[in-house]
């Protein structure tokens, strides 16, 4: 990696926490300068605009989270175990992801709502990939006979994501992870009901 690539990577990594914690509108160039230790000119040598930097920082944040999911899924066999792993990974991400502020999807979705169409579109793409991951796991489970054939994969994706993101919002709002813990317990029990048994 060249010096320029190292600097660009450093800017993206440090900016990811700033944008994720303060939001697109709330994050000023002064905040980014302070986080990166660079002057404005040094930042704009690598990014044409704040938009371009925000997109790169968001993509980086999502990539870090996605890697944890794929790593967790590779370690599990069977749809039920993989769904459990998705829930567990989400509930522990706030402790292990290398940037501050919680879930970049939820944060950026709220921040970009109607105010920044390009950023909103990027969030939708990332959310769709997450939904499709869950849909794929459930669909494969149905094909392999592990999950009831009456289960609707798209509905499972909605239930899991909505419950997890809502619990994270409450955890952040109240500063108490009991809400995430309750959601995890509930979803783990719910996932077991999807298991097809020989009866």
């Amino acid at each position: 990696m060249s010096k320029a690539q190292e600097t660009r990577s450093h800017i993206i990594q440090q900016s990811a926490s700033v944008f994720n914690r303060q939001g697109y509108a709330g994050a000023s160039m002064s905040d980014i300068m302070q986080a990166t230790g660079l002057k404005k000119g040094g930042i704009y040598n690598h990014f044409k605009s704040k938009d371009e930097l925000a997109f790169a920082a968001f993509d980086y944040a999502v990539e870090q989270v996605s890697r944890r999911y794929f790593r967790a899924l590779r370690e599990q066999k069977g749809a039920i175990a993989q769904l459990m792993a998705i829930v567990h990974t989400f509930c522990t991400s706030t402790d292990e992801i290398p940037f501050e502020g919680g879930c970049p999807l939820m944060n950026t979705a709220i921040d970009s709502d109607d105010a920044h169409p390009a950023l909103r579109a990027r969030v939708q793409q990332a959310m769709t990939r997450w939904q499709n991951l869950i849909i794929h796991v459930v669909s494969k489970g149905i094909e392999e006979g592990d999950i009831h054939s009456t289960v609707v994969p798209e509905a499972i994706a909605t239930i899991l994501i909505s419950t997890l993101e809502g619990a994270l919002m409450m955890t952040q709002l109240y500063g108490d992870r009991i809400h995430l813990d309750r959601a995890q317990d509930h979803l783990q029990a719910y996932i077991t009901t999807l298991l097809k048994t020989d009866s």
Side-chain angles (χ1 to χ4, degrees), residues 70-142:
F70 287 117
R71 186 165 57 247
L73 290 178
R74 282 198 302 268
E75 295 171 354
Q76 302 296 331
K77 291 184 178 180
I80 297 299
Q82 289 185 332
L83 290 174
M84 294 285 194
I86 288 172
V87 171
H88 176 76
T89 299
F90 182 94
C91 292
T92 57
S93 284
T94 53
D95 302 321
E96 299 182 20
I97 52 178
F99 50 86
E100 303 171 5
C103 177
L105 286 181
M106 179 176 69
N107 293 345
T108 312
I110 294 170
D111 187 48
S112 65
D113 187 22
D114 298 325
H116 201 296
L119 193 56
R120 180 183 175 87
R122 221 173 188 91
V123 180
Q124 287 179 334
Q125 291 172 0
M127 182 64 78
T128 297
R129 288 196 297 272
W130 191 20
Q131 291 182 75
N132 287 340
L133 173 64
I134 297 173
I135 290 168
H136 171 75
V137 170
V138 176
S139 297
K140 188 174 180 181
I142 294 172

Side-chain angles (χ1 to χ4, degrees), residues 69 86-87 90-91 103 105-106 110 127 130-131 134 153-171 179-180 182-184 186-187 190:
Y69 283 108
I86 288 172
V87 171
F90 182 94
C91 292
C103 177
L105 286 181
M106 179 176 69
I110 294 170
M127 182 64 78
W130 191 20
Q131 291 182 75
I134 297 173
E154 292 80 5
I156 303 304
T158 297
I159 291 167
L160 261 62
I161 293 173
S162 299
T163 303
L164 290 169
E165 293 287 10
L168 178 59
M169 180 273 292
M170 292 185 69
T171 289
H179 305 289
L180 265 180
R182 287 169 178 164
Q184 183 172 6
H186 170 74
L187 288 177
Y190 171 69

Side-chain angles (χ1 to χ4, degrees), residues 18-44:
V18 176
F19 283 119
N20 201 46
R21 187 175 61 250
Q22 298 177 217
Y24 174 81
S28 67
M29 286 307 298
S30 295
D31 295 324
I32 295 170
M33 288 163 57
Q34 183 176 359
T36 60
L38 298 171
K39 294 183 179 180
K40 187 180 293 187
I43 295 170
Y44 283 129

